[in-house]
């Protein structure tokens, strides 16, 4: 008996392998494909098939080339998760009209973490803050989790918050499958639109007064820019420079 796990549709995504594509080496290797399946909680599947937007069968290479360039997808799997079908989804939503720039204040924030703790702008005041915007079927968002966790381990004096437009149930599943250690706030579509978030993943650095210091979009795979987040943070936060 199959069930369908409907996941969020992409607003607009920055490609995981954007840097590699520029160099002409965009294809993911088979081990990288398997690693991504494991990070999605599908590593135990014995049969994985891939389909395009019209549900025609495509190769694994074609599927991963699409999702690493921002395509969203659905997951269908058997109850024992041994047989999996991954189907590409069409129709990205139009990007939000607003765009924030460096020096702008963050829009008023009123969210709830998936553990039930309410959050507002006052809760972030007084410290530097890094916001990570993601959604659960964004391949680059999944791939960057280890580096997010390393950042959290190294900088306990900074506020960290991951924000998604996914419902809380999908955000909790993302936490379980990826092991992200950041606090996560879900159901945040209105706030993300107010903040002008139109690419995933996006990192936003705020000063202690809640003003935007910098916005960093996209993800560089390990081996093609390891330590990118750490270098970015040290570049912009006083006292963090090497």
């Amino acid at each position: 008996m199959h069930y369908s796990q409907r996941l969020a549709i992409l607003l607009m995504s920055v490609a995981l392998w954007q840097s590699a594509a520029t160099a002409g080496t965009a294809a993911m290797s088979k081990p990288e494909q398997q690693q991504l399946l494991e990070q999605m909680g599908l590593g135990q599947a014995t049969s994985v098939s891939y389909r395009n937007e019209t549900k025609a069968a495509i190769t694994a290479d074609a599927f991963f080339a699409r999702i690493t360039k921002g395509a969203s997808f659905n997951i269908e799997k058997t109850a024992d998760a041994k047989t999996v079908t991954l189907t590409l989804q069409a129709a990205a939503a139009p990007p939000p009209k607003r765009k924030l720039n460096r020096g702008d204040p963050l829009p008023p924030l009123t969210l709830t973490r998936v553990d039930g703790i309410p959050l507002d702008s006052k809760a972030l005041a007084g410290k530097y803050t890094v916001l990570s915007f993601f959604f659960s079927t964004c391949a680059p968002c999944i791939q960057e989790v280890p580096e997010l966790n390393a950042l959290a381990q190294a900088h306990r004096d900074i506020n960290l918050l991951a924000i998604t437009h996914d419902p809380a149930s999908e955000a909790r599943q993302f936490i379980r499958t990826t092991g992200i250690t950041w606090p996560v706030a879900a159901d945040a579509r209105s706030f993300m639109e107010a903040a002008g978030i139109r690419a995933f993943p996006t990192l936003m650095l705020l000063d202690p007064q809640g003003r935007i210091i910098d916005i960093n979009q996209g993800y560089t795979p390990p081996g093609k820019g390891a330590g990118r987040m750490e270098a970015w943070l040290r570049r912009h936060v006083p006292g963090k420079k090497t």
Side-chain angles (χ1 to χ4, degrees):
M1 187 71 175
H2 290 258
Y3 68 92
S4 178
Q5 186 180 23
R6 176 69 179 172
L7 299 172
I9 293 178
L10 174 68
L11 295 178
M12 182 177 176
S13 181
V14 173
L16 165 63
W17 292 79
Q18 189 173 33
S19 298
T22 301
T25 58
M28 293 181 73
S29 68
K30 295 299 181 183
E32 288 167 337
Q33 293 175 9
Q34 181 60 32
Q35 181 182 31
L36 184 52
L37 288 174
E38 291 173 356
Q39 289 180 292
M40 289 189 289
L42 304 175
Q44 300 304 311
T46 56
S47 174
V48 181
S49 58
Y50 304 91
R51 300 186 299 188
N52 64 16
E53 294 88 342
T54 64
K55 299 190 176 181
I58 58 175
T59 66
D61 287 345
F63 176 84
F64 284 102
R66 290 288 305 282
I67 69 169
T68 55
K69 292 178 180 177
S72 59
F73 57 95
N74 276 355
I75 300 173
E76 294 178 79
K77 56 186 177 180
T78 53
D80 61 4
K82 295 297 185 181
T83 301
V84 175
T85 301
L86 303 178
T87 304
L88 295 171
Q89 297 297 294
K97 296 179 180 179
R98 182 172 184 181
K99 180 181 180 181
L100 296 180
N101 298 299
R102 295 177 182 88
D104 290 342
L106 189 71
L109 180 150
T110 304
L111 300 172
T112 302
R113 289 171 27 171
V114 295
D115 56 7
I117 297 176
L119 286 172
D120 59 19
S121 301
K122 292 180 180 179
L124 304 179
K127 290 184 178 182
Y128 286 91
T129 296
V130 179
L131 304 178
S132 171
F133 296 94
F134 75 97
F135 67 96
S136 61
T137 58
C138 162
C141 304
I142 295 167
Q143 290 285 78
E144 76 171 3
V145 166
E147 196 168 354
L148 292 175
N149 288 348
L151 202 71
Q153 182 68 25
H155 301 284
R156 298 180 183 274
D157 56 330
I158 289 178
N159 292 320
L160 303 172
L161 179 63
I163 301 175
T164 180
H165 54 66
D166 292 334
S169 59
E170 290 180 11
R172 292 189 188 98
Q173 182 62 37
F174 183 87
I175 294 169
R176 288 192 293 268
T177 57
T178 66
I180 187 171
T181 60
W182 289 38
V184 175
D187 295 301
R189 185 176 298 277
S190 294
F191 172 74
M192 292 167 70
E193 290 177 353
I197 301 304
R198 62 185 67 197
F200 298 89
T202 288
L203 291 177
M204 184 180 289
L205 178 62
L206 308 177
D207 68 16
Q209 290 74 46
R211 295 185 297 262
I212 297 171
I213 296 175
D214 197 38
I215 299 172
N216 194 313
Q217 298 176 340
Y219 172 61
T220 302
K224 300 180 177 67
R228 172 185 63 89
M229 293 182 191
E230 180 70 24
W232 173 71
L233 187 66
R234 291 182 179 277
R235 197 161 56 243
H236 291 290
V237 178
K240 296 288 183 182
K241 298 185 184 299
T242 56

